[in-house]
């Protein structure tokens, strides 16, 4: 399938796994993140292995002007986007409300919510003319149920849930599908980022059970993106079997 897929957060985790999955299926990629070295390495890997074309764009999704400027640099051949995967995001800290950092809250809201809005707004003009484009937003089980010390992270993912529902209504007239994907715990760089490099705390999150992998999530995203034009998966929660919901895990002692 020679589509063009625009993936944010392609330097790690779900985004990187999606890039590999879609490249293997023959799709061309626009891959984005702040770490240019990782984007360049992924471009090299995928162009060598899959023979597809890859366009890296380096920008911080929190920076509105940088988002629009980066999209504006796309040459004519890249000014058609079939699928946008709004994946860039993070959690910072896991603290009680009164102890949490305002800076962490700002970053989560600016990245997970405003960043998704900015990128979608900037890329939509390249999607509307396609007639049957698709937006896939990364929410979380944290956007379906709240948990202790989840505060702003849960809030940001509830916002992604609501934005996805609203997008779906507004964009229907352009034939654009909107799918929200809500994973449970997956072992990526996510917890290292959340716990600010505290490897032991990050590792503890995944002890006693088998979490999702980035590839598990990418497989599901690719399936959602490969359905016939008249079929849309609107909202999908996926967890590892050991995780019953956002809070309950069955962990072998
Ligand atoms: N792992 C999990 O348990 C779950 C994760 N999620 C969500 O899935 C998404 C991907 O997470 P995951 O792959 O696990 O995490 P990773 O930390 O492995 O990857 C996060 C990606 O987002 C990018 N990113 C973060 N901040 C910015 C920014 N300001 N500007 C541009 N890119 C940014 C990073 O790129 P770079 O640093 O190079 O900019 C990186 O490529 C996130 O939205 C997360 O909230 C949802 C449910 C579960
Ligand atoms: N599901 C995880 C990531 O979003 C979490 O809620 O910590």
């Amino acid at each position: 399938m020679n589509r063009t897929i625009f993936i944010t957060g392609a330097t790690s985790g779900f985004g990187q796994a999606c890039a590999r999955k879609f490249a293997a299926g023959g799709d061309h990629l626009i891959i984005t993140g702040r770490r240019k070295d990782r984007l360049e390495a992924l471009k090299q890997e995928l162009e060598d292995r899959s023979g597809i074309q890859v366009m890296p764009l380096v920008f911080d999704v929190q920076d509105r002007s940088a988002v629009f400027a980066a999209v504006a640099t796309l040459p004519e051949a890249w000014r058609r986007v079939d699928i946008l995967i709004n994946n860039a995001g993070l959690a910072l800290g896991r603290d009680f409300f009164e102890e949490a950092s305002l800076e962490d809250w700002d970053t989560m809201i600016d990245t997970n919510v405003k960043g998704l809005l900015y990128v979608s707004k900037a890329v939509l003009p390249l999607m509307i003319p396609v007639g049957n484009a698709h937006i896939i937003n990364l929410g979380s089980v944290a956007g379906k149920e709240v948990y202790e010390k989840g505060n702003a992270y849960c809030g940001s993912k509830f916002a992604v849930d609501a934005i996805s529902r609203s997008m779906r209504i507004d964009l229907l007239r352009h034939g654009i599908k909107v799918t929200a994907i809500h994973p449970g715990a997956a072992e990526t760089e996510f917890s290292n980022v959340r716990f600010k490099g505290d490897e032991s705390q990050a590792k503890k999150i995944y002890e006693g059970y088998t979490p999702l992998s980035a590839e598990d999530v990418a497989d599901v995203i690719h399936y959602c993106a490969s359905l016939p034009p008249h079929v849309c998966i609107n909202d999908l929660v996926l967890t590892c079997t050991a995780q019953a919901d956002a809070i309950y895990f069955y962990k072998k002692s």
Side-chain angles (χ1 to χ4, degrees):
M1 294 185 189
N2 287 129
R3 304 171 297 187
T4 298
I5 323 293
F6 192 112
I7 305 172
T8 66
T11 59
S12 172
F14 301 163
Q16 188 178 66
C18 280
R20 290 178 171 139
K21 182 76 179 179
F22 280 87
D27 293 314
H28 302 300
L29 306 177
I30 298 169
I31 55 173
T32 88
R34 293 165 299 178
R35 288 171 282 184
K36 183 177 182 185
D37 57 332
R38 290 199 180 190
L39 291 177
E40 291 299 338
L42 187 58
K43 168 184 166 70
Q44 192 66 53
E45 172 200 325
L46 296 179
E47 288 185 342
D48 291 351
R49 182 196 302 166
S50 313
I52 47 107
Q53 282 154 17
V54 180
M55 170 65 75
L57 286 184
V58 180
F59 60 83
D60 184 329
V61 296
Q62 302 173 91
D63 181 342
R64 181 167 59 176
S65 53
V67 170
F68 281 82
V71 173
T73 64
L74 287 171
E76 194 47 42
W78 288 95
R79 302 193 68 75
R80 169 200 165 110
V81 172
D82 297 275
I83 298 174
L84 166 61
I85 301 177
N86 280 311
N87 164 74
L90 78 172
L92 280 177
R94 181 104 185 235
D95 306 295
F96 285 114
F97 194 95
E98 72 279 17
E99 294 166 0
S101 141
L102 287 174
E103 288 70 27
D104 289 350
W105 285 359
D106 282 346
T107 303
M108 286 186 274
I109 300 294
D110 289 349
T111 306
N112 299 353
V113 183
K114 291 167 71 177
L116 181 149
L117 292 170
Y118 294 161
V119 171
S120 303
K121 188 85 168 155
V123 176
L124 260 171
L126 309 184
M127 301 181 79
I128 289 171
V130 171
N132 64 349
H134 194 167
I135 296 177
I136 299 175
N137 294 328
L138 265 296
S140 166
V141 291
K144 294 293 188 183
E145 293 157 294
V146 296
Y147 50 72
E148 185 184 85
K149 304 179 181 176
N151 46 70
Y153 180 66
C154 290
S156 75
K157 291 303 184 177
F158 270 78
V160 171
D161 190 32
I163 291 165
S164 300
R165 294 166 192 236
S166 169
M167 261 184 180
R168 191 173 306 117
I169 295 168
D170 288 355
L171 299 178
L172 210 48
R173 61 205 182 95
H174 300 300
I176 293 178
K177 298 182 187 181
V178 179
T179 298
I181 302 280
H182 306 282
E187 195 162 10
T188 63
E189 290 182 7
F190 178 83
S191 292
N192 282 322
V193 171
R194 180 171 221 167
F195 297 115
K196 302 173 185 175
D198 182 338
E199 299 270 345
S200 62
Q201 212 177 353
K203 209 167 164 320
K204 273 205 193 79
I205 297 292
Y206 308 109
E207 283 174 357
Y209 70 102
T210 304
L212 294 174
S213 69
E215 291 70 24
D216 294 327
V217 176
D219 286 348
V220 169
I221 290 171
H222 190 265
Y223 171 76
C224 292
S226 307
L227 293 169
H230 72 288
V231 179
C232 179
I233 290 180
N234 291 354
D235 201 64
L236 187 152
V237 173
L238 73 151
T239 66
C240 61
T241 311
Q243 180 176 3
D245 57 26
I247 301 134
Y248 184 80
F249 286 79
Y250 177 73
K251 295 186 181 183
K252 293 191 175 68
S253 46

